[in-house]
Amino acid sequence: MSNIDRFSIVTLIFFFLSTTFVIRPLSFRARLPCLGRTKITIGLMTAPIMTIAILWAAQCLGPTQIRNGIVGTDDIKPYNILLLFISLAYMAITLDVTGILQAAAFWVSNKGGNNGRKLYFYFYLLLTAISAVVGNDPVILSGTAFLVYYTAATKLEPMAWLISEFAAANTASMVLFVGNPTNVVICEGFLVNNAAFTAYTILPFLACSVSCYLALMFQFRDPKRVPSKMHAIGKLNVREVLRDPVSACFGTIWLITCLVVIIIVSFFKIDVWKIALPFAGGKFIFDLCWDHYRYSTGKIPKFSEQVDAGNDTEENVMAHEIQRAMSSSDAEDLERPATFNTLTNPTSNLIALSPIPKEKEEPPLCESPTNTPPNPTTESPSTRSSSTNSKSTATPSKLFPAQREAFHSKHRTLAAHFPTFFTALPRLPFGLIPFAFSQFILIEALSHQGWIDVFATWLVRASHRQMIPTIWLIGVLGVVLCNVAGTNIGATILLTKIVRTAALPDSTTRAAAIALAVASNIGAVSFTFSASLAGLLWTTILRQKGVTIKQATFARWNLLPIFLMTVVGLAVVTAEMVVLYPPQKSN
């Protein structure tokens, strides 16, 4: 502690203030020049950047720390991590745009029938399998909307299904190093080969996934939550939601090829972004060319036709197909695909989605502000921009209204011509870029002020450089810090720096890396939504669908799964490391 001074204390205080605002954003209205009275939020996107500015002004960090937070130190290259993640996210999200994930969910629904427990298990397997390959974000984007519509239509209490989806998606993201940005941080920071990462994490993943499912089934054993017999639903038309089979096939093969090539070149010490970025560029070119071909040949409607037809988004088609299956009364109707124009006709006699059932014994776990079921025409993330544009037309901004209207008009035209790219664009996690760079810079500031050395000393004293204590210390700290250190990304960066600074034996360092990989992924299934960016995305989508889950409710249902996964996952890591690095016998 001899190197700790007033600058160090100020830096640590502001670091935790930053994470506090990430967990609990502060919003207020202020009058700004030209913009008038505007809502300002200090949260995920702004709090870390403001903290950096304050610390720079207070001379607690300088240009060197900012540069190191962008370029990287100790083999951790932030730009490499973010380029890789954005590139893979583009390929995964454009694959999702084709409707392949919704089609898979429909197929599973048909297999499960009206057996609630079987269907619950099938959905858990499906979401786990998809998340293991494409990561958790595409599953959160498509799976959340599907489950909201599906549970409302089948009169299911949605909490059990939504919590299961969230847990499955985040647990499975530990399998591949590209499944989560934290995995990439660990591979870069501990020099873990990409293929070796999967070899290390596959057994902990299986153990965590099984224990998580058992925990979910135990706490949702009440038939009101996961019934043995569900409200009957007709056979869903899988082809109806598979909007672009050609692009779905190409995108699947392209993404798998990219992952295989990345794993192969990782043996040759090549930065993985140099592989992922060209693949993303190739997928971008394919999307533009294929959409242009479809637009030119009339396979997708012209802009004027789309305006006349209404909002034929993938979520609308999915919701209306569920309505059709619910309202079908005979076998002929069950097999007949519904058309969008019929389903959007206000005079249609199709039943509405049923309200989410409420229990009399306790307050509802999912509260809808309007106490109404999800609207089938609720905007998806891909259509929010066009909705915003129309609102801007009705109420022009004080700043450059003519130019803004011209821009919006051009955007709507291009979005009709190239729907894949412009649907995927607002879904890309661009918010991750400033946030991740900010976290790297803040950790560099802590290192500059001597805190990383202090924390590393504490780790050495607590673990005595022994492998098994280090596994459990890093694992438990990782889960806890996901909730209090600026999402799992901030926790992973911080603990990676601490372990490296501690200069532990090679076997202990490797064991700490794998324990951290497990903790940073299952740590999202925790007590705060901000434990991961996926959690923030999940709650945002639910609010858009009229479903509100309280923070306390989220924590209560995650308590048993996270406890079991932490114990079981770290126990498997311990067993693995003892086998791979047996303790030396003293003479």
Side-chain angles (χ1 to χ4, degrees):
M1 298 287 289
S2 58
N3 294 329
I4 301 302
D5 55 16
R6 65 183 186 278
F7 293 103
S8 303
I9 296 173
V10 168
T11 302
L12 186 64
I13 291 173
F14 273 91
F15 174 80
F16 281 109
L17 279 176
S18 171
T19 60
T20 300
F21 285 119
V22 169
I23 297 171
R24 293 287 185 183
L26 174 65
S27 298
F28 57 92
R29 293 191 174 275
R31 188 171 299 279
L32 300 177
C34 299
L35 297 177
R37 191 170 179 79
T38 305
K39 183 179 180 181
I40 298 176
T41 300
I42 303 176
L44 181 76
M45 297 295 104
T46 54
I49 296 175
M50 292 175 63
T51 301
I52 292 172
I54 293 171
L55 292 177
W56 194 358
Q59 298 182 349
C60 294
L61 61 82
T64 301
Q65 286 70 49
I66 295 176
R67 178 188 179 279
N68 290 343
I70 298 173
V71 178
T73 57
D74 298 331
D75 299 314
I76 301 177
K77 302 173 183 176
Y79 65 89
N80 183 11
I81 296 168
L82 293 174
L83 283 173
L84 169 67
F85 192 69
I86 295 295
S87 299
L88 291 172
Y90 176 80
M91 289 185 281
I93 291 173
T94 52
L95 178 61
D96 176 38
V97 168
T98 66
I100 191 170
L101 301 187
Q102 294 96 323
F106 275 26
W107 181 81
V108 166
S109 174
N110 292 337
K111 289 294 181 181
N114 62 351
N115 188 322
R117 296 190 177 276
K118 181 191 294 186
L119 190 60
Y120 192 76
F121 177 66
Y122 285 172
F123 274 133
Y124 187 85
L125 284 183
L126 173 69
L127 297 169
T128 298
I130 295 175
S131 299
V133 177
V134 302
N136 53 11
D137 283 345
V139 171
I140 295 296
L141 282 167
S142 288
T144 305
F146 170 81
L147 288 175
V148 169
Y149 294 134
Y150 189 87
T151 53
T154 53
K155 299 182 174 65
L156 291 169
E157 196 285 317
M159 178 59 71
W161 305 78
L162 292 172
I163 290 292
S164 173
E165 174 225 9
F166 186 76
N170 286 284
T171 303
S173 61
M174 77 170 75
V175 178
L176 293 179
F177 82 102
V178 294
N180 195 319
T182 62
N183 299 347
V184 185
V185 172
I186 292 167
C187 288
E188 293 274 337
F190 294 101
L191 302 178
V192 179
N193 180 272
N194 300 335
F197 180 87
T198 299
Y200 282 124
T201 58
I202 187 68
L203 290 180
F205 152 69
L206 292 174
C208 287
S209 185
V210 171
S211 61
C212 180
Y213 176 76
L214 294 176
L216 292 171
M217 284 304 300
F218 173 77
Q219 65 184 16
F220 294 125
R221 62 191 181 277
D222 190 333
K224 294 179 182 179
R225 306 191 188 282
V226 182
S228 299
K229 204 74 171 177
M230 287 172 37
H231 182 77
I233 184 170
K235 187 174 182 180
L236 295 169
N237 191 307
V238 176
R239 181 61 183 84
E240 187 72 13
V241 290
L242 187 58
R243 302 166 64 85
D244 188 357
V246 173
S247 186
C249 292
F250 177 84
T252 302
I253 296 172
W254 193 254
L255 178 59
I256 293 175
T257 303
C258 176
L259 295 176
V260 171
V261 173
I262 286 176
I263 291 174
I264 293 174
V265 301
S266 67
F267 291 98
F268 302 99
K269 307 298 182 183
I270 298 175
D271 288 343
V272 289
W273 72 267
K274 296 179 180 179
I275 304 300
L277 187 59
F279 267 91
K283 183 61 168 61
F284 171 72
I285 293 172
F286 170 83
D287 292 335
L288 294 185
C289 294
W290 177 243
D291 282 348
H292 176 71
Y293 168 76
R294 292 194 297 158
Y295 189 84
S296 302
T297 57
K299 295 182 183 295
I300 53 178
K302 306 295 183 183
F303 174 65
S304 58
E305 297 172 355
Q306 292 184 16
V307 172
D308 295 336
N311 292 327
D312 186 7
T313 67
E314 64 263 29
E315 287 191 14
N316 290 339
V317 175
M318 176 180 65
H320 292 317
E321 174 59 21
I322 294 174
Q323 281 187 317
R324 182 204 62 78
M326 286 296 300
S327 61
S328 298
S329 57
D330 55 1
E332 180 180 355
D333 289 335
L334 293 178
E335 296 295 334
R336 185 186 304 124
T339 61
F340 181 78
N341 290 334
T342 302
L343 290 169
T344 54
N345 187 345
T347 62
S348 174
N349 60 357
L350 293 175
I351 64 170
L353 291 176
S354 303
I356 298 172
K358 298 183 179 181
E359 301 177 15
K360 297 180 180 179
E361 294 83 357
E362 58 181 357
L365 295 175
C366 289
E367 298 176 353
S368 174
T370 58
N371 199 26
T372 57
N375 187 350
T377 58
T378 299
E379 296 176 11
S380 68
S382 61
T383 60
R384 286 198 305 273
S385 58
S386 60
S387 174
T388 303
N389 294 342
S390 63
K391 292 177 182 178
S392 299
T393 305
T395 308
S397 171
K398 296 180 181 180
L399 292 176
F400 313 111
Q403 291 80 357
R404 289 169 62 88
E405 173 56 30
F407 172 79
H408 294 325
S409 176
K410 186 65 175 177
H411 178 270
R412 290 191 293 268
T413 304
L414 289 174
H417 198 136
F418 305 105
T420 301
F421 172 74
F422 281 93
T423 301
L425 185 63
R427 298 184 181 183
L428 288 173
F430 290 120
L432 175 65
I433 297 176
F435 174 75
F437 276 132
S438 299
Q439 291 300 118
F440 278 109
I441 293 171
L442 288 175
I443 301 300
E444 286 295 326
L446 291 177
S447 178
H448 175 64
Q449 295 297 338
W451 283 112
I452 300 298
D453 292 331
V454 172
F455 298 150
T457 301
W458 291 352
L459 175 62
V460 170
R461 291 177 179 175
S463 66
H464 301 289
R465 299 182 180 272
Q466 298 299 308
M467 185 170 63
I468 294 177
T470 300
I471 290 173
W472 288 89
L473 280 170
I474 294 299
V476 174
L477 279 173
V479 171
V480 173
L481 288 176
C482 285
N483 295 270
V484 298
T487 77
N488 53 1
I489 296 177
T492 303
I493 298 169
L494 178 61
L495 289 174
T496 298
K497 287 277 189 182
I498 291 172
V499 172
R500 289 198 52 139
T501 304
L504 302 171
D506 291 342
S507 60
T508 304
T509 300
R510 180 56 55 94
I514 306 307
L516 182 55
V518 173
S520 64
N521 285 275
I522 66 173
V525 190
S526 202
F527 312 117
T528 63
F529 297 126
S530 61
S532 69
L533 295 178
L536 297 171
L537 176 63
W538 187 68
T539 54
T540 300
I541 295 173
L542 288 178
R543 282 196 299 270
Q544 291 167 357
K545 306 305 174 191
V547 178
T548 300
I549 296 180
K550 296 180 180 179
Q551 182 74 76
T553 303
F554 178 77
R556 176 161 65 96
W557 290 119
N558 282 335
L559 180 61
L560 181 60
I562 188 60
F563 176 77
L564 282 181
M565 285 195 291
T566 301
V567 173
V568 173
L570 295 181
V572 173
V573 173
T574 301
E576 275 187 340
M577 293 303 151
V578 169
V579 171
L580 293 174
Y581 305 101
Q584 299 294 326
K585 295 181 179 180
S586 58
N587 295 328

